[in-house]
Amino acid sequence: MILEIRNLHAGIEGTEILKGIDLTVKAGEVHAIMGPNGSGKSTLAGVLAGREEYEVTEGEVLFRGENLLEMSPEERAAAGVFLAFQYPVEIPGVNSAYFLRTGLNSIRKSRGEEELDALDFLKLAREKLKLVQMDEAFLKRSVNEGFSGGEKKRHEIFQMAVLDPVLGILDETDSGLDIDALRIVAAGVNSLRRADNAFLVVTHYQRLLNHIIPDVVHVLLDGRIVQSGGKELALQLEAEGYDRIKQAATV
Amino acid sequence: MGTSTKKNMSSGSGSSSYFLPIPEGHWLRRYSPPAPDPGAETPLEKTLADLRFRARKVLERGLPSVRSEAFRYTNLQFLLSEEFTPDRRQVTREEIEEELFRDLPVKEGEHRLVFVNGRFLSELSTGFVSESGLEILRIGGGHGTEARREEEGSKIAEYIGRTTLADFSSIAAWNTAHLHDGVAVFVQRGKKISEPIRIRHFIRGEGNRKIVSFPRLLVVAEEGAEVFVAETYAGDSGRTLTIPMTELIVGRAARVEYCRVVREGGEGVHLSAQEALLEEDAVLRSHAFHFGGALARNDVRAVLNGENVEVTLNGLSLLSGTEHLDNHTVLEHRRPHGRSREIFKSVLADHARNVFRGLIHVWKEAQKTDAVQSNRNILLSPTARVESRPQLEIYADDVKCTHGATVGRLEEEALFYCRSRGIPLESARVLLTQAFAADLVEEVAVKEYREALAEAVRARLERMLGREEPR
Ligand SMILES: Nc1ncnc2c1ncn2[C@@H]1O[C@H](COP(=O)(O)OP(=O)(O)OP(=O)(O)O)[C@@H](O)[C@H]1O
Ligand SMILES: [Mg+2]
């Protein structure tokens, strides 16, 4: 079992945003999370990655059997959690290669593995850049600075490929991508799928799920998962919108 | 830092309270040579005597108090109660060699002049130079033949004190009142000196004695000349006071890059004056790095005295503990088409305090001036303080002047981004503050110095951040 979320309540400054989430993700699976704006998708992703502004008021989260909520963000990264940000952060003055190598080596160190020198890292990075069809020049640029919207998203997937997580959480990685980029990103994610890892894909659009085929689709509404189903649920939502589910949820 | 309690200020009437009297016989007024004009004969002796005379007049006015606008945030009253004396000892190479090259490593081919507490140390220096094209001379006394000395002296006499113009700033006056030694660099017309010239000051107390020194540097780049000069001040233990003055005279279409690195000891006080005078088409690139010292005040001025002059004035300071730094900068645009870029940044931990005052003064005839000033500060602790005072005085009507100041903390979102990639909180903080400082380091033209500075910044930030309480 990779992820077990039980009755998770979380919020900010006294306002509850997540109102009792239950979710179980097994190794080898891809779960999609859909839901209207403001329903709490990014909050869930953030709580899992360790955003400190959210307060968990109830429930528990186990990551491979361990209490995830007790870990710092960097410990979660070292344990194998990766969040692809909805809004990747620009860091002027830090080049992408140095940034990612520092992260990778911190993770390797905490696992008792040997650190990669600049040359070995470059080899690895080059290989992973190909996955998302990004130019090597990006490695020398400041992290996300001046990247186009689509480049930022591809850069997230590139970082995920280098860090090779056990659980990859993608928060709207598809928004802002053109059709070709969408395909590239999806292919990148698919190539990372293995029997021993899993992905949580937050999206508004069914089209991403044509490429990254989910095992389970969940609908998040007002901080609760109100419906779960197979990949056809996404198609149904695309056709009908959330109205029917909203009505069903309020009665 | 010592604060004096006994004041002999007569219940201050009028402007006198802006200055605290410096009694006769006080160390600041104990001069060597004592008389301003001890039978001056050569042109240099005459010039120095005249400069000293004028400067000593300024000292008679007294010590500026915190009531004077220029020293509002920096209290120098302790100078009246604490006794500082010049170092009379000759330090040997062995005593300091290890310490000496910590901040900037030796670069092959550099010209290097080493001073300890203001005294020249020839053993570690590459020596003075008098070739055609480049001359590195000693202000306090030449070498070689009498005739040669006279010739060199005349040259120094022609330029020294020139940047002072009509008025001495207080610090410039204190240095000049005690002026008897220093370095003068002359780059001849059209000469481009590729190897950097490096003046290395080592400062340290002598047991219980508090040591003062008055280093002086004069750089003259004649028309079309180019040169890179670096000055470093490395302090050690003990209470010390350094009062340096640097004059940069940049001739027509000449280009001077000047880099100064100050890392005073924990009890070190640094009061400096840096004056630049630029003629038509000249370029000055000035970089100041401040890595510590109990108290520091830098008076920096650049006068754009010809058309189409370009000035870069950069400053980076990393402060912790109860360190106090006050940068007082003036950009004086006197002629049309001048461009100035001023960026001062600081990172403050603990109870540190940073004062920045930046005056951009545009004269009436300095049309088409293009001046940009920015002062950015990062507070790593809630008890650190920043005073930022931009000041524009613009008398021309067709100019572009912008200024901006920010005071903030490290961005939470960027910290979280780093951590989500596995970078531990403390390293993430170092990484982000280092990134904040990076562009100013990048601007230094000499690769070896740039790399050493980047390393010095990283090491200092690690120490500053390592002490902080983890959240
Ligand atoms: N840091 C915060 N401060 C205040 N309110 C917040 C914060 N984070 C989330 N919220 C609120 O919680 C709710 C859920 O936000 P969240 O970002 O999780 O939604 P989402 O499902 O990701 O929406 P979208 O599809 O628009 O990305 C919103 O009402 C939002 O305003
Ligand atoms: Mg969202």
Side-chain angles (χ1 to χ4, degrees):
Chain A
M1 204 68 77
I2 288 190
L3 185 68
E4 292 170 83
I5 304 177
R6 294 197 197 114
N7 188 32
L8 180 67
H9 290 251
I12 194 157
E13 286 156 11
T15 313
E16 190 162 67
I17 302 171
L18 301 181
K19 302 171 179 170
I21 303 265
D22 290 282
L23 180 66
T24 302
V25 180
K26 294 204 212 64
E29 289 183 344
V30 171
H31 287 231
I33 297 188
M34 304 183 79
N37 294 134
S39 56
K41 303 181 298 294
S42 292
T43 302
L44 175 61
V47 168
L48 294 178
R51 270 194 192 280
E52 286 170 344
E53 60 263 39
Y54 298 116
E55 195 196 344
V56 174
T57 48
E58 223 185 308
E60 62 176 351
V61 179
L62 299 182
F63 178 68
R64 299 167 108 185
E66 291 192 53
N67 184 348
L68 188 69
L69 300 177
E70 270 182 358
M71 301 182 201
S72 67
E74 54 268 37
E75 284 168 346
R76 297 179 199 206
V81 175
F82 181 92
L83 172 65
F85 281 46
Q86 183 173 4
Y87 305 107
V89 183
E90 297 190 5
I91 309 183
V94 180
N95 80 52
S96 169
Y98 183 78
F99 174 73
L100 190 53
R101 184 157 73 89
T102 307
L104 178 64
N105 279 337
S106 305
I107 290 173
R108 292 178 69 99
K109 208 166 125 190
S110 74
R111 291 176 183 165
E113 294 166 9
E114 213 169 302
E115 297 182 33
L116 293 190
D117 63 22
L119 223 65
D120 287 338
F121 175 80
L122 190 63
K123 249 202 255 161
L124 175 70
R126 277 191 183 131
E127 183 194 317
K128 303 300 182 189
L129 279 168
K130 277 193 207 128
L131 271 185
V132 287
Q133 298 185 18
M134 280 181 97
D135 196 280
E136 207 178 307
F138 282 99
L139 291 177
K140 292 210 181 106
R141 288 174 57 178
S142 286
V143 175
N144 291 321
E145 192 185 31
F147 288 24
S148 76
E151 285 163 355
K152 282 181 182 165
K153 296 303 179 77
R154 274 196 272 171
H155 188 235
E156 293 291 288
I157 300 304
F158 159 67
Q159 294 178 58
M160 181 165 84
V162 170
L163 298 182
D164 190 21
V166 176
L167 176 67
I169 305 165
L170 278 59
D171 192 358
E172 291 196 31
T173 302
D174 54 336
S175 58
L177 292 182
D178 67 35
I179 297 158
D180 289 338
L182 183 78
R183 221 174 275 142
I184 292 165
V185 161
V189 174
N190 284 331
S191 74
L192 297 175
R193 289 181 70 167
R194 288 193 313 258
D196 61 352
N197 65 12
F199 293 88
L200 209 55
V201 179
V202 173
T203 182
H204 283 293
Y205 305 107
Q206 195 271 333
R207 56 177 196 168
L208 177 70
L209 305 178
N210 282 337
H211 300 283
I212 306 175
I213 299 181
D215 297 288
V216 190
V217 175
H218 306 276
V219 180
L220 194 62
L221 192 68
D222 191 23
R224 292 184 185 89
I225 291 180
V226 292
Q227 198 174 348
S228 301
K231 60 178 191 275
E232 56 302 330
L233 179 55
L235 282 168
Q236 182 198 325
L237 289 172
E238 182 98 342
E240 297 175 359
Y242 293 109
D243 278 355
R244 212 170 67 176
I245 292 179
K246 275 185 188 163
Q247 276 161 19
T250 47
V251 280
Chain B
M1 199 183 64
T3 46
S4 91
T5 42
K6 62 171 194 306
K7 288 184 276 191
N8 56 355
M9 259 178 57
S10 53
S11 49
S13 68
S15 69
S16 70
S17 60
Y18 294 109
F19 292 94
L20 308 171
I22 306 171
E24 229 169 305
H26 182 271
W27 63 268
L28 253 176
R29 294 180 63 185
R30 224 174 286 145
Y31 303 118
S32 138
D37 180 10
E41 277 173 15
T42 67
L44 179 58
E45 282 168 1
K46 286 201 180 83
T47 303
L48 292 183
D50 174 56
L51 280 172
R52 286 194 287 254
F53 176 78
R54 285 169 48 211
R56 289 170 191 182
K57 282 274 173 236
V58 176
L59 268 129
E60 282 169 27
R61 205 167 59 192
L63 187 82
S65 76
V66 288
R67 300 191 59 181
S68 81
E69 185 56 29
F71 284 87
R72 196 168 143 195
Y73 301 104
T74 300
N75 190 344
L76 297 180
Q77 223 180 77
F78 66 93
L79 293 176
L80 293 177
S81 55
E82 283 187 52
E83 173 86 10
F84 290 89
T85 49
D87 190 6
R88 302 269 174 241
R89 255 168 28 102
Q90 190 60 59
V91 178
T92 63
R93 166 196 189 124
E94 287 71 32
E95 288 180 65
I96 57 159
E97 194 162 13
E98 198 179 307
E99 278 293 306
L100 203 53
F101 300 105
R102 223 165 61 178
D103 287 330
L104 290 187
V106 175
K107 181 184 181 317
E108 205 158 328
E110 69 182 7
H111 298 279
R112 185 172 59 251
L113 299 155
V114 175
F115 288 79
V116 179
N117 287 346
R119 296 171 67 87
F120 182 59
L121 187 66
S122 63
E123 296 163 274
L124 286 169
S125 305
T126 56
F128 291 93
V129 174
S130 64
E131 299 160 0
S132 69
L134 174 67
E135 288 172 285
I136 305 176
L137 310 175
R138 187 157 176 196
I139 294 170
H143 46 287
T145 65
E146 193 75 25
R148 182 89 193 103
R149 193 148 66 225
E150 179 114 10
E151 191 190 317
E152 291 175 353
S154 311
K155 206 160 180 180
I156 297 170
E158 191 184 335
Y159 290 100
I160 196 155
R162 190 183 277 198
T163 60
T164 302
L165 306 171
D167 54 321
F168 278 105
S169 72
S170 295
I171 294 170
W174 302 341
N175 175 283
T176 305
H178 293 266
L179 170 58
H180 57 86
D181 200 358
V183 177
V185 176
F186 293 92
V187 186
Q188 213 183 51
R189 203 186 149 101
K191 281 278 173 189
K192 296 180 175 29
I193 308 300
S194 54
E195 296 308 338
I197 295 162
R198 164 113 181 265
I199 294 137
R200 186 70 168 90
H201 291 277
F202 187 66
I203 298 144
R204 65 168 190 191
E206 283 301 328
N208 288 333
R209 261 186 58 213
K210 300 175 179 180
I211 299 293
V212 61
S213 57
F214 301 93
R216 181 89 174 202
L217 171 64
L218 167 66
V219 176
V220 180
E222 291 179 5
E223 181 172 343
E226 286 185 17
V227 67
F228 182 106
V229 181
E231 243 187 322
T232 56
Y233 292 86
D236 196 3
S237 57
R239 182 71 162 164
T240 57
L241 171 60
T242 318
I243 307 184
M245 174 161 181
T246 296
E247 291 187 87
L248 308 168
I249 297 176
V250 193
R252 268 198 66 202
R255 181 188 169 95
V256 170
E257 179 151 351
Y258 171 68
C259 177
R260 94 196 296 272
V261 183
V262 176
R263 182 176 52 78
E264 290 277 358
E267 294 178 75
V269 177
H270 190 92
L271 309 173
S272 80
Q274 175 188 327
E275 303 258 19
L277 185 61
L278 296 104
E279 301 305 332
E280 196 179 344
D281 296 324
V283 176
L284 169 67
R285 298 178 52 77
S286 162
H287 318 272
F289 295 92
H290 186 87
F291 296 149
L295 181 140
R297 159 72 179 235
N298 302 309
D299 284 350
V300 182
R301 178 169 68 168
V303 176
L304 292 76
N305 200 38
E307 290 197 19
N308 199 36
V309 164
E310 189 179 316
V311 175
T312 301
L313 218 55
N314 290 339
L316 172 68
S317 47
L318 310 178
L319 306 167
S320 64
T322 55
E323 287 172 343
H324 175 114
L325 169 66
D326 182 349
N327 278 316
H328 207 101
T329 71
V330 178
L331 277 157
E332 205 166 295
H333 285 262
R334 295 189 169 188
R335 309 274 299 137
H337 296 284
R339 288 181 304 288
S340 61
R341 294 288 175 272
E342 180 178 20
I343 303 176
F344 271 71
K345 290 187 178 183
S346 74
V347 180
L348 299 98
D350 310 324
H351 289 80
R353 187 175 200 200
N354 181 54
V355 181
F356 171 78
R357 168 124 54 165
L359 169 64
I360 298 175
H361 183 174
V362 182
W363 285 27
K364 191 156 180 241
E365 67 177 284
Q367 298 294 1
K368 304 284 180 193
T369 286
D370 175 0
V372 178
Q373 180 194 82
S374 125
N375 174 226
R376 297 180 57 197
N377 303 278
I378 286 193
L379 306 180
L380 299 174
S381 106
T383 46
R385 278 185 305 161
V386 166
E387 248 29 272
S388 187
R389 293 270 178 280
Q391 234 176 310
L392 301 179
E393 270 180 43
I394 300 173
Y395 301 98
D397 46 31
D398 185 13
V399 301
K400 212 163 72 192
C401 292
T402 62
H403 65 87
T406 58
V407 181
R409 318 202 45 151
L410 285 179
E411 253 181 76
E412 286 298 329
E413 187 64 7
L415 278 172
F416 177 63
Y417 194 62
C418 293
R419 299 174 79 187
S420 79
R421 271 39 174 167
I423 303 172
L425 177 59
E426 200 176 284
S427 312
R429 288 182 156 171
V430 172
L431 187 74
L432 294 180
T433 37
Q434 218 181 325
F436 171 76
D439 57 341
L440 293 183
V441 173
E442 278 305 308
E443 292 220 0
V444 176
V446 178
K447 180 163 171 278
E448 287 86 345
Y449 294 171
R450 202 163 54 228
E451 286 169 355
L453 283 165
E455 180 51 30
V457 167
R458 193 193 56 75
R460 177 145 170 100
L461 287 175
E462 250 169 33
R463 248 174 295 130
M464 282 167 61
L465 286 154
R467 271 204 319 269
E468 264 220 324
E469 289 279 297
R471 294 185 321 147

